[in-house]
Amino acid sequence: MSNGPQVTVKGPLLGVLALILGAVGVVATFLPINLDLVRPYVAWMFGWPGIVVAVFGLLGQCKGKPLAGIGAMLSLLALAIGAIALGNLVGRA
C-alpha cells in the first residue's frame, strides 16, 4: 500500500530558488532604507529558507546542483551578515 504518488523535482527549480533566496538575503541587508531594528532578521528570513531549499536541491537527483551550492553559500553569507548586524544592534543598546 502506497501513500500516494511521490513528487520528484528533476529540473533546476530548487537550485534557482536557493540562489534567489540567498541573493535576496545578502542584498536586502544592505538596502539604503530604514531597517534599523529589523535589518538582521531580514537576512535570516531569507537565509534559513535558502539553506533548507539548497540542502534539498543538493541531496536530490535534480539538475540544479551547482545553483543549489551557490545558493547555499549565499544563504550562509546572509546568515553571517545577519549575525554581524545583530551584534551591532546589541552593541548599540
Side-chain angles (χ1 to χ4, degrees), residues 32-47:
I33 57 176
N34 188 9
L35 294 172
D36 285 340
L37 299 176
V38 296
R39 192 171 301 273
Y41 306 111
V42 169
W44 287 351
M45 285 186 337
F46 292 103

Side-chain angles (χ1 to χ4, degrees), residues 42-68:
V42 169
W44 287 351
M45 285 186 337
F46 292 103
W48 285 115
I51 290 289
V52 171
V53 171
V55 166
F56 283 123
L58 288 170
L59 293 179
Q61 293 182 356
C62 51
K63 294 181 181 178
K65 288 191 185 221
L67 293 174

